[in-house]
């Protein structure tokens, strides 16, 4: 994914957010500073999640499955290299309290059969 893709997606989402805040302000002319802050943060969290998701997926560390066995992540309990088991959506929570869904390589430990998403 190139920088242009990011720019396009992020620009259109931030346009939506900017006009959303403007609309909200028109509909709530007597909003307090706190209410305004909440309304803005709520919308910015969407952009933040989108940026995190796109940026995280662009990281080469997102895929360890093609690596040689001695390059693969280890089971934290057995220290055995994980066996790749395809990819699965992994849901993470952001600081903004939103779900961030990333397609991540999933692995199983050959010794204890624990399945996990290696960090990365
Ligand atoms: Zn194990």
């Amino acid at each position: 994914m190139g920088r242009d893709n990011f720019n396009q997606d992020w620009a259109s989402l931030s346009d939506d957010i900017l006009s959303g805040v403007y609309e909200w302000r028109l509909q709530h002319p007597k909003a307090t500073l706190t209410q305004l802050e909440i309304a803005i943060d709520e919308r910015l969290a969407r952009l933040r999640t989108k940026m995190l998701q796109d940026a995280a997926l662009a990281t080469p560390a997102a895929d360890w499955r093609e690596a040689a066995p001695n390059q693969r992540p280890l089971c934290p309990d057995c220290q055995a290299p994980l066996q790749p088991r395809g990819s699965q959506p992994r849901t993470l929570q952001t600081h903004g309290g939103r779900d961030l869904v990333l397609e991540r390589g999933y692995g199983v430990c050959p010794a204890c059969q624990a399945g996990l998403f290696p960090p990365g």
Side-chain angles (χ1 to χ4, degrees), residues 75-80 109-114:
C75 170
D77 295 326
C78 316
Q79 308 305 314
C109 171
C112 72
Q113 307 302 317

Side-chain angles (χ1 to χ4, degrees), residues 10-83:
W10 294 355
S12 73
L13 183 57
S14 56
D15 281 352
D16 287 353
I17 287 167
L18 296 181
S19 52
V21 170
Y22 182 71
E23 288 294 318
W24 188 93
R25 185 58 176 150
L26 289 180
Q27 288 160 17
H28 302 84
K30 293 181 179 168
T32 64
L33 188 60
T34 305
Q35 289 169 328
L36 197 50
E37 196 175 13
I38 291 168
I40 291 174
D41 281 351
E42 211 270 327
R43 285 163 177 77
L44 285 181
R46 279 172 51 205
L47 181 62
R48 191 173 174 281
T49 304
K50 169 78 176 146
M51 291 176 82
L52 256 175
Q53 199 162 346
D54 290 350
L57 287 175
T59 310
D63 203 338
W64 52 272
R65 291 164 293 162
E66 303 299 317
N70 64 352
Q71 302 289 313
R72 289 183 196 150
L74 304 176
C75 170
D77 295 326
C78 316
Q79 308 305 314
L82 297 178
Q83 291 174 340

